[in-house]
């Protein structure tokens, strides 16, 4: 028995609750798991971190006095794929791993600094940083085995959630998102695919504490999905964000400006980036609504209405 108190972000608790009994069991066992990993990896548990939308994340100190971070992911994530991606990256575009336990969804990582999201620079500068970091991350060696076109999964997700959630956005927006998904599926070419991060937004992009090879932008990624996809998939995720800026100005013109910037700094197709970006905006909004995160979801869906 342990008296350790676990602090989780509200969005993490919502996702855990949506898992039902499996989530309840994970939450009940989390304090004991943290204590067991502390003994096994000879680490001292520090204060929790505010980052992470699908895991418990806390600062720790290693036996040799180094700062590090312990992450324990919630169930039903492809944690093995995440670990494989980060380990195979060997520090190029990604955080370095010190230890991991795939079966228990646990990872010990190097300590990092401020997130790009919290950096006080214009969106354009953040987009350039994300492009530079992605070019490093896309160097991860491709794993063997079959690949599934991610556009097909998003077609199913958008259609099913829109019906199940009783049409929380307009039919016009959903039809546009599904049309773009079908266009991306038709263009799928395995030879052009890279190991995509899958969710390279500014909160998943953290500053390295000291300059090092593989982190030439000064930042690295955490929490990859690590599946094969056209690189424009990741750029669509980048374009998906910036809801506050879009809602405060001329949303279509500003989104097109961001899209052109992404294309310019990667040499990739602007139309494909736009289509992925719109699809990601709608699918993310619907997914967030599905586990009760309405405050997160609504800006995505409002901006989709403006861009549709």
């Amino acid at each position: 028995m342990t008296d350790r108190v676990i602090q989780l972000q509200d969005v993490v608790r919502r996702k855990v609750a949506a898992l039902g009994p499996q989530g309840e069991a994970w939450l009940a066992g989390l304090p004991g798991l943290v204590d067991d990993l502390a003994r096994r990896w000879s680490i001292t548990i520090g204060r929790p971190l505010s980052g992470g939308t699908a895991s418990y994340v806390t600062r720790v100190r290693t036996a040799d006095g180094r700062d590090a971070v312990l992450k324990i992911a919630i169930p039903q994530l492809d944690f093995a794929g995440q670990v494989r991606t980060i380990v195979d990256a060997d520090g190029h575009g990604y955080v370095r791993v010190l230890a991991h336990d795939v079966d228990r969804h646990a990872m010990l990582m190097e300590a990092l600094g401020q997130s790009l999201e919290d950096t006080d620079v214009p969106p354009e500068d953040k987009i350039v940083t994300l492009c530079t970091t992605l070019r490093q991350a896309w160097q991860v060696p491709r794993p063997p085995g079959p690949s599934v076109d991610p556009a097909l999964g998003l077609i199913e997700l958008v259609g099913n959630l829109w019906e199940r959630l009783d049409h929380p956005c307009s039919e016009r927006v959903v039809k546009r998102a599904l049309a773009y998904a079908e266009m991306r599926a038709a263009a799928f070419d395995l030879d052009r695919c890279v190991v995509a991060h899958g969710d390279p937004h500014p909160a998943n992009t953290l500053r390295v504490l000291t300059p090092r090879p593989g982190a030439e932008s000064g930042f690295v990624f955490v929490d990859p999905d690590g599946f094969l996809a056209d690189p424009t998939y990741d750029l669509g995720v980048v374009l998906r964000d910036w809801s506050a800026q879009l809602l405060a100005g001329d949303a279509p013109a500003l989104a097109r400006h961001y899209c052109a910037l992404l294309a310019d700094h990667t040499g990739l197709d602007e139309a494909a980036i736009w289509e992925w970006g719109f699809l990601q905006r709608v699918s993310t909004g619907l997914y967030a609504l599905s586990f009760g995160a309405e405050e997160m979801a609504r800006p995505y869906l409002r901006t989709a209405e403006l861009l549709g």
Side-chain angles (χ1 to χ4, degrees):
M1 183 68 68
T2 178
D3 58 0
R4 182 177 299 281
V5 176
I6 297 293
Q7 294 177 290
L8 294 174
Q9 299 298 303
D10 181 64
V11 65
V12 179
R13 289 193 176 276
R14 289 179 182 274
K15 289 183 178 180
V16 171
L19 296 176
Q22 184 185 26
E24 293 175 7
W26 179 82
L27 188 58
L30 189 55
L33 176 56
V34 171
D35 286 344
D36 187 58
L37 290 170
R39 289 189 294 270
R40 178 180 167 190
W41 288 339
S42 300
I43 54 178
T44 302
I45 306 299
R47 59 182 178 84
L49 292 168
S50 59
T53 61
S55 57
Y56 168 70
V57 187
T58 185
R59 295 189 184 278
V60 301
R61 182 68 61 87
T62 65
D64 59 2
R66 288 185 294 167
D67 291 327
V69 170
L70 173 66
K71 170 187 173 180
I72 304 174
I74 66 174
Q76 291 196 334
L77 292 176
D78 180 16
F79 191 71
Q82 184 173 122
V83 170
R84 183 192 64 242
T85 300
I86 296 177
V87 170
D88 288 351
D90 192 26
H92 289 273
Y94 285 103
V95 62
R96 290 192 180 278
V97 176
L98 308 178
H100 59 83
D101 185 331
V102 171
D103 292 337
R104 305 174 88 180
H105 283 206
M107 193 185 319
L108 184 66
M109 305 172 289
E110 68 172 321
L112 296 170
Q114 184 183 43
S115 74
L116 185 60
E117 181 178 53
D118 294 331
T119 303
D120 187 20
V121 297
E124 289 84 353
D125 290 352
K126 294 181 180 181
I127 287 171
V128 172
T129 297
L130 288 165
C131 289
T132 303
T133 310
L134 280 169
R135 286 197 297 269
Q136 285 283 351
W138 290 335
Q139 297 177 33
V140 174
R142 289 170 52 154
S147 174
V148 177
D149 180 0
L152 298 178
L154 290 177
I155 290 173
E156 182 177 6
L157 183 145
V158 168
N160 288 346
L161 287 183
W162 189 69
E163 292 291 350
R164 180 159 69 84
L165 297 170
D166 195 23
H167 308 167
C169 61
S170 70
E171 184 178 12
R172 171 179 57 87
V173 160
V174 168
K175 284 184 175 180
R176 176 65 61 88
L178 292 175
Y180 283 158
E182 290 168 0
M183 292 167 69
R184 290 298 90 220
F188 182 74
D189 181 352
L190 189 58
D191 290 338
R192 290 206 308 265
C193 288
V194 298
V195 178
H197 180 284
D199 200 19
H201 56 73
N204 273 343
T205 314
L206 278 65
R207 189 184 299 277
V208 292
L209 297 180
T210 56
R212 63 168 175 80
E216 281 74 14
S217 71
F219 290 81
V220 291
F221 290 120
V222 297
D223 296 353
D225 294 324
F227 52 80
L228 288 179
D230 191 278
T232 54
Y233 179 102
D234 273 345
L235 299 181
V237 174
V238 176
L239 183 59
R240 170 199 72 187
D241 291 320
W242 324 109
S243 293
Q245 288 82 5
L246 298 185
L247 291 170
D250 183 341
L254 191 56
R256 288 291 182 184
H257 165 63
Y258 293 157
C259 187
L261 192 62
L262 286 162
D264 288 345
H265 282 272
T266 59
L268 296 173
D269 183 59
E270 186 173 342
I273 298 168
W274 180 265
E275 290 162 7
W276 278 122
F278 189 85
L279 175 57
Q280 289 285 352
R281 189 176 300 279
V282 176
S283 62
T284 301
L286 294 174
Y287 174 66
L289 278 182
S290 73
F291 60 85
E294 185 163 348
E295 186 176 349
M296 176 190 297
R298 288 302 176 188
Y300 289 120
L301 297 180
R302 284 200 297 271
T303 51
E305 297 287 354
L306 295 174
L307 300 178

